[in-house]
Amino acid sequence: MSRFMDHFLYKDGVLHAEDVAIAEIAEAVGTPFYVYSTATLTRHFRLFDEALEGMDHLVCYAMKANSNQAVLTLMASLGAGVDVVSGGEYLRAKAAGFSGDRIVFSGVGKTREEMRLALEGGIRQFNVESEPEMEVLSEVAESLGVVAPITVRVNPDVDAKTHEKIATGKSENKFGIPIARSREVYALAASLPGLEVIGIDVHIGSQLTSLEPYEQAYLKVAELTETLRADGHQIKRLDLGGGLGIPYERSNEAPPLPIEYGALVKRTLGHLDCEIEIEPGRLIAGNAGILVSEVIYVKSGEGRDFLILDAAMNDLIRPAMYGAYHDILPVVEADAGAEQQPYDIVGPVCESGDTFTKNRPMPKVAPGELVAFRSAGAYGAVMASEYNTRPLIPEVLVHEHQFAVIRGRPTFDEIINRDTIPEWLEG
Ligand code: LLP
């Protein structure tokens, strides 16, 4: 078994999701589509849960990674909590059966309406990110006659050594309050009648491939816990955020495992007798999903061949947005020793940014054949758009030999009829 196991493997030369052949799903739903594996989602949640065994803990799945209701329902059934960052995500959590005491609300820009929604519907805690937010939350809670449980997100000023767009723990980022100002900010929180301080929150970035930045951050959190307790604050819960990376490029990446991360948490924070919360998203959903697409054309260009797919940047924006790497495999396995050929792999959208990768060696493929993007289960479907009036693509969940469409493809009529024409334009 490889270090990171998933359930998308070739069987008899054809790619499967668990026990279902990808071609069978393509036949039923058309391309492109996302497909997720129940077994991988389950396994990844359990890896985190087991890594924190022996500590009072709750794994709060960061649904921003993949918020399909079926995925959330599965997470709820496994005993997960959930991390939400908007009123919409809060309502998704409730609809999937998470009780309020399993929902954590993060984010720098919570509105009064979102606060009210969560206070009325039940909330485990708000991770508060600024003094103005604290004051507003206290007011909203008071107006409802309740007290809002909070942690304050501190920014420990460590370099997460990840892509600049997803690093959050440096002092220049918009997130949290500078750790050096924690004492005065906690004093303010304690003075506000609508708030109850219960702990500390920290999240330093996403797709971290080393434990070292976590270690630096958590040592600072440990010290801060002692300081704040000495100041008279109740610090009983530590929310440690998410961020553990996954091997997008399997041939040369080996990010830390949840069990190694868990050992670090125990070593740096175990003596504090706090309840531990973590908010993993990518590691739970990322390698639990693939994007399947059909080759439309193979086009010979100037010194290169383009593989033009029916999936595009609007379906999977990570390569265009972060220069992200995704493994791309033919759905029908190439013969051992088959000739490799370099391709620029692109979508049909009218901009050059719609390029998934350049000069990627792959076994030869022909129009009509299917390819699969690995590691597309997190930040894939959730970041998709209908740019170029390309419908959001279906999501499919596999469980052993069964599969179900968990979000269907909208029809063009549905898309067009979402828009309305003002009276004065009507002829
Ligand atoms: N908690 C907080 C407060 C976060 O901001 C995030 C991610 C997470 C947890 C989950 O982090 P994860 O375990 O998934 O790394 N769209 C980007 C990733 C953005 C991550 C934003 N925050 C991408 O496709 O790489």
Side-chain angles (χ1 to χ4, degrees):
M1 192 171 82
S2 76
R3 194 171 153 87
F4 284 87
M5 198 191 81
D6 68 30
H7 296 81
F8 298 96
L9 298 172
Y10 289 111
K11 292 180 190 170
D12 298 329
V14 293
L15 192 65
H16 280 65
E18 301 190 20
D19 299 328
V20 183
I22 295 302
E24 189 189 330
I25 305 174
E27 188 70 30
V29 305
T31 56
F33 61 90
Y34 282 100
V35 53
Y36 312 128
S37 154
T38 303
T40 312
L41 288 164
T42 304
R43 180 181 135 83
H44 288 167
F45 168 77
R46 294 216 169 111
L47 287 178
F48 277 113
D49 205 29
E50 285 161 19
L52 296 177
E53 225 163 61
M55 300 181 96
D56 188 7
H57 71 273
L58 185 66
V59 177
C60 294
Y61 170 60
M63 78 151 81
K64 62 168 76 66
N66 184 323
S67 53
N68 187 287
Q69 290 304 126
V71 172
L72 298 178
T73 302
L74 172 66
M75 286 298 142
S77 77
L78 296 171
V82 67
D83 173 55
V84 306
V85 293
S86 69
E89 286 196 351
Y90 179 86
L91 291 171
R92 278 192 177 277
K94 289 307 280 282
F98 288 96
S99 54
D101 63 358
R102 289 186 167 260
I103 307 176
V104 171
F105 205 140
S106 300
V108 289
K110 303 175 197 82
T111 63
R112 285 173 191 268
E113 294 68 50
E114 289 174 324
M115 292 170 177
R116 205 170 294 127
L117 185 69
L119 286 167
E120 284 175 348
I123 190 79
R124 179 177 182 82
Q125 100 233 359
F126 292 90
N127 294 332
V128 173
E129 301 220 17
S130 67
E131 287 143 301
E133 182 193 342
M134 254 176 209
E135 286 170 3
V136 169
L137 180 59
S138 177
E139 262 174 50
V140 174
E142 266 200 294
S143 74
L144 296 172
V146 298
V147 172
I150 67 153
T151 69
V152 178
R153 176 164 174 184
V154 296
N155 185 327
D157 194 21
V158 301
D159 184 355
K161 300 196 176 71
T162 182
H163 191 282
E164 57 163 337
K165 287 202 175 110
I166 52 176
T168 54
K170 284 292 284 174
S171 54
E172 72 241 32
N173 300 130
K174 69 180 176 186
F175 299 99
I177 55 124
I179 196 161
R181 293 193 47 238
S182 309
R183 293 179 73 187
E184 56 182 291
V185 175
Y186 272 82
L188 170 67
S191 74
L192 293 171
L195 304 185
E196 184 194 9
V197 171
I198 59 164
I200 304 173
D201 172 44
V202 66
H203 169 80
I204 56 175
S206 194
Q207 185 56 16
L208 271 67
T209 51
S210 136
L211 288 180
E212 210 239 350
Y214 282 119
E215 172 144 23
Q216 285 178 32
Y218 295 170
L219 288 172
K220 290 189 183 188
V221 168
E223 196 185 317
L224 182 62
T225 303
E226 314 262 20
T227 307
L228 293 176
R229 281 177 173 168
D231 285 350
H233 299 288
Q234 163 183 246
I235 304 295
K236 61 179 184 187
R237 182 178 294 164
L238 301 177
D239 182 330
L240 304 177
L244 213 54
I246 62 171
Y248 281 98
E249 195 167 351
R250 295 192 178 206
S251 45
N252 68 8
E253 284 179 325
L257 297 172
I259 192 80
E260 295 160 347
Y261 170 81
L264 171 75
V265 170
K266 289 176 189 168
R267 182 157 51 76
T268 51
L269 301 164
H271 59 290
L272 294 167
D273 194 28
C274 280
E275 181 182 10
I276 300 293
E277 248 166 39
I278 55 170
E279 302 168 348
R282 190 191 310 268
L283 200 145
I284 291 182
N287 283 335
I290 61 174
L291 165 64
V292 179
S293 177
E294 184 175 308
V295 177
I296 308 178
Y297 298 115
V298 181
K299 169 174 167 176
S300 297
E302 223 25 69
R304 63 189 68 210
D305 282 342
F306 293 100
L307 213 56
I308 304 178
L309 305 182
D310 65 358
M313 64 190 289
N314 68 298
D315 304 308
L316 177 67
I317 203 169
R318 303 193 68 261
M321 188 153 174
Y322 314 110
Y325 177 99
H326 285 262
D327 273 342
I328 305 173
L329 313 172
V331 165
V332 176
E333 191 173 20
D335 296 333
E339 200 192 324
Q340 300 260 321
Q341 125 142 44
Y343 289 112
D344 283 15
I345 304 180
V346 304
V349 162
C350 301
E351 43 184 302
S352 298
D354 187 21
T355 297
F356 292 116
T357 181
K358 287 188 172 162
N359 210 15
R360 173 85 57 94
M362 261 190 74
K364 269 200 160 121
V365 283
E369 291 187 42
L370 301 178
V371 297
F373 290 72
R374 278 190 180 277
S375 310
Y379 306 111
V382 285
M383 293 180 80
S385 75
E386 287 179 342
Y387 187 36
N388 283 199
T389 307
R390 295 168 45 84
L392 289 183
I393 65 178
E395 294 173 272
V396 172
L397 184 65
V398 167
H399 175 48
E400 298 173 351
H401 62 278
Q402 312 173 62
F403 71 91
V405 175
I406 57 175
R407 177 187 290 169
R409 197 187 308 273
T411 63
F412 288 113
D413 278 350
E414 280 163 357
I415 295 176
I416 293 167
N417 291 330
R418 277 205 304 259
D419 299 355
T420 50
I421 314 295
E423 240 172 59
W424 68 83
L425 280 178
E426 228 126 28

